[in-house]
Structures are given as C-alpha cells and as structure tokens.
Amino acid sequence: AAPAAVVRALPPRRELLVGRDDERALLSLYLGDPDCRLLTLQGLGGVGKTHLALWVAHEQPFAHVHGAELAATPPGGFVAALAQTLGAEGEGLGGVKASIGGRSQLLLLDNFEHLTAQRPVLE
C-alpha cells in the first residue's frame, strides 16, 4: 500500500535551539513511547517551552503533526479551535474525534494553561 500522506501543520522553527540537547532527547523518548498519550511542558513564561516544543515536534516521525496556538481561545471555544487545527469536517467533538480516527499523530497545544478545565476533552 502507498504510504499515508505526511501532514505537518506547524509554525516554522525559529532561530537555532542552543543548549537543550538533553531536553530534546528526553521529549523524543517520551513521544516515542506508545503509552505516552499526554505530555506537558511547564515552566515560567519566557523560558522557551514553545521554542523547544516546536523543535521537537518538527523532528518527530508522526505522519500527522498539528499545532494550535490557544492564547486567545476562550474556554468555550476549545473544541472549535481543535476542530479548526485538525481540519475536521464535522462539527463539535464528534468532528474532532472523526478527524483523529485511529491515526497516530502529535497535537501540540500552546498556551493551554488557561483552558485546564477542558482537560476532560483531551482525555
């Protein structure tokens, strides 16, 4: 069978990533574990979490990698933001689930901290 199309819907990498080799390796290790379904990067604002996450996401072998910037997303708009990020054809959570299907993919959610009440949606 022909290989599935590769989808990389992420912002481009920014300037060089310096001094984060250990963190990159650790994140790649976690993301390579099939039992790892949710991974959170925490730290003070401005320490480079987004920068690190983008570098690692661009390096992953997943066929589908999507990134969502959620800073301006209100709590009630989280499912719609996911649907838009994934290019879901259906509406609501059903459309999100259908677009994910059984595919192994990476979804990078930036600035999710103000949406933690939406965690059950991720689970």
Side-chain angles (χ1 to χ4, degrees), residues 39-122:
L39 182 61
T40 302
L41 301 183
Q42 292 181 302
L44 297 173
V47 298
K49 298 177 298 292
T50 298
H51 189 72
L52 174 62
L54 281 172
W55 267 84
V56 172
H58 276 283
E59 296 172 342
Q60 296 308 303
F62 293 92
H64 298 271
V65 181
H66 299 275
E69 168 51 61
L70 301 171
T73 303
F78 178 60
V79 172
L82 281 180
Q84 180 180 7
T85 297
L86 295 168
E89 293 183 19
E91 293 186 23
L93 195 53
V96 170
K97 288 179 180 180
S99 70
I100 292 172
R103 297 184 300 211
S104 176
Q105 54 187 297
L106 177 62
L107 179 59
L108 173 63
L109 303 175
D110 194 17
N111 291 301
F112 182 75
E113 60 271 10
H114 71 285
L115 299 169
T116 56
Q118 300 297 316
R119 184 175 173 198
V121 173
L122 294 178

